[in-house]
Amino acid sequence: QASHSHLIDPAQWCSGLRAACQSARMNVAKSGYRVFSANSTAACTELAKKITERLGVELGKSVVYQESNRETRVDVKESVRGQTIFIIQTIPRDVNTAIMELLVMAYALKTSCAKNIIGVIPYFPYSKQCKMRKRGSIVCKLLASMLAKAGLTHIITMDLHQKEIQGFFSFPVDNLRASPFLLQYIQEEVPDYRNAIIVAKSPSAAKRAQSYAERLRLGLAVMHGEAQCSESDMADGRHSPPCVRNTSGHPGLELPLMMAKEKPPITVVGDVGGRIAIIVDDIIDDVEDFVAAAEILKERGAYKIYIMATHGLLSADAPRLIEESAIDEVRYRCRILISDSLLQQENNPGATGNVDCN
């Protein structure tokens, strides 16, 4: 049975927004800045209203809509000349439409002579595509360039997938953290959390998990390897170049044989027996890896498992996979806690902020 809980509400988001503005020396009079919503979805409208109520200003008047041919149109209904503008944009199910809304609104404000244009984007899209994969591209860098070209001068976001993404931008980026709220939740809501252990789902997540473990004075466990026959085998380029010797070219020149990379089955480095296992990550999207990790932790003796993340995308059938997985059949508790960086019911009607599998 699922229930919804707001771990990070828009008022807390607003506090972080205000601190970021102060750090950027944007302490302007109320008449010197405006807040606009980049779309009319429930998530974006609710967040924008909460922020403006907290700041004591009115929401900027604008209209964002789709033409009959699906083109995005933005009409700004008031003067923004010489003002600092904040654009609130959440990322709904249609990611590409949301990006176009943000780009078109930023460009409309730029051509209306706005002084500064700051994008407030809780979840930054395409952040997973921040590394080169085989013959692919670094789409996150492309998006950063597009935002700068459209007129944005500053971005406020939360828990970027990689800190290095900030280097893609030619303007300042405030990368706020959800960890204080998640740490508070662990201390106040997890029974006997002193008997818990922080778990990194992969070696790449070990640094994040170590930060949680040090702040909570808890132990750390790291999971290594991957489920066999994983789709990532073909996606990460481990079989490229092919494992053959190159005999062409100069006589007598022989290249060494290239061996394909292999990852062992999932193993756990650390003792989780009789403990509460808390897996921390920044994004929960496809949940197969989390389900597999939870099953391994259960086999190793963990009696309760929490999965915590900042951004709960829960794409496709993720909620159903959680509730219909073996976790539910063996009847131990797997609790997934996500911050309120997205409105889950809109992104996925089956998704929630707090999923209990019993």
Side-chain angles (χ1 to χ4, degrees):
Q1 183 179 1
S3 60
H4 183 68
S5 67
H6 293 278
L7 188 56
I8 300 178
D9 61 29
Q12 293 169 323
W13 239 104
C14 182
S15 299
L17 172 60
R18 179 176 292 174
C21 294
Q22 291 174 348
S23 67
R25 297 176 182 177
M26 291 185 292
N27 295 322
V28 295
K30 288 184 179 181
S31 60
Y33 70 85
R34 302 291 291 168
V35 179
F36 285 84
S37 173
N39 64 57
S40 58
T41 61
C44 194
T45 303
E46 179 184 354
L47 180 60
K49 286 182 177 179
K50 290 291 185 179
I51 289 175
T52 52
E53 289 175 2
R54 183 68 178 267
L55 295 175
V57 298
E58 293 184 359
L59 185 63
K61 297 179 177 62
S62 64
V63 178
V64 182
Y65 60 97
Q66 306 295 317
E67 297 276 13
S68 58
N69 61 358
R70 304 302 298 169
E71 289 183 357
T72 299
R73 181 177 292 273
V74 174
D75 292 330
V76 179
K77 300 295 186 179
E78 59 184 272
S79 174
V80 296
R81 182 179 297 272
Q83 295 187 343
T84 294
I85 307 299
F86 292 87
I87 305 176
I88 312 298
Q89 176 65 308
T90 58
I91 305 300
R93 200 66 168 156
D94 191 347
V95 176
N96 296 326
T97 297
I99 291 173
M100 281 305 301
E101 290 171 345
L102 180 60
L103 291 172
V104 175
M105 173 162 275
Y107 190 67
L109 293 168
K110 176 184 177 181
T111 55
S112 298
C113 300
K115 181 180 180 181
N116 295 299
I117 304 173
I118 299 97
V120 181
I121 314 169
Y123 167 67
F124 193 79
Y126 286 98
S127 60
K128 284 189 173 182
Q129 298 189 47
C130 60
K131 297 180 180 179
M132 181 65 74
R133 294 277 186 177
K134 297 180 70 174
R135 295 177 182 86
S137 61
I138 306 176
V139 183
C140 193
K141 167 62 176 174
L142 171 64
L143 180 56
S145 301
M146 292 168 63
L147 292 173
K149 190 69 175 178
L152 284 170
T153 59
H154 195 135
I155 276 183
I156 301 172
T157 186
M158 176 171 278
D159 277 343
L160 288 169
H161 188 56
Q162 299 287 343
K163 292 180 180 179
E164 292 76 13
I165 291 175
Q166 297 176 76
F168 293 162
F169 295 87
S170 57
F171 50 77
V173 176
D174 280 311
N175 184 27
L176 306 182
R177 297 295 183 190
S179 56
F181 306 105
L182 294 172
L183 291 169
Q184 180 182 0
Y185 184 91
I186 292 173
Q187 293 174 320
E188 296 179 357
E189 302 295 335
V190 177
D192 193 24
Y193 84 92
R194 289 295 181 185
N195 188 38
I197 184 169
I198 304 298
V199 179
K201 185 172 65 71
S202 64
S204 61
K207 188 172 182 180
R208 184 188 305 272
Q210 181 183 1
S211 174
Y212 278 73
E214 290 176 349
R215 291 169 183 261
L216 293 169
R217 309 295 192 270
L218 299 177
L220 175 67
V222 179
M223 305 190 73
H224 175 65
E226 65 182 18
Q228 298 303 295
C229 301
S230 172
E231 292 183 1
S232 62
D233 290 358
M234 300 304 296
D236 65 2
R238 72 184 64 180
H239 297 297
S240 178
C243 304
V244 296
R245 292 183 183 276
N246 186 358
T247 57
S248 62
H250 296 283
L253 179 61
E254 184 175 327
L255 297 178
L257 181 66
M258 299 296 294
M259 301 298 295
K261 296 185 293 183
E262 293 185 4
K263 288 187 178 181
I266 298 178
T267 56
V268 182
V269 180
D271 183 15
V272 298
R275 312 284 288 278
I276 300 172
I278 302 176
I279 303 175
V280 296
D281 212 335
D282 61 324
I283 299 173
I284 298 180
D285 192 359
D286 298 323
V287 299
E288 287 86 351
D289 291 344
F290 289 96
V291 172
E295 291 174 349
I296 295 295
L297 292 171
K298 177 61 170 62
E299 292 174 1
R300 294 298 182 93
Y303 71 90
K304 187 179 292 185
I305 300 171
Y306 288 78
I307 302 175
M308 299 192 177
T310 306
H311 310 294
L313 276 63
L314 297 179
S315 299
D317 294 331
R320 180 184 61 80
L321 291 175
I322 294 171
E323 297 194 9
E324 295 180 1
S325 67
I327 296 174
D328 188 41
E329 294 173 7
V330 298
R331 299 188 63 78
Y332 77 93
R333 199 173 186 188
C334 172
R335 220 175 174 195
I336 298 182
L337 303 164
I338 57 178
S339 78
D340 205 16
S341 65
L342 322 159
L343 186 62
Q344 299 307 316
Q345 277 74 11
E346 179 179 321
N347 288 354
N348 190 324
T352 62
N354 183 348
V355 179
D356 285 342
C357 304
N358 293 314

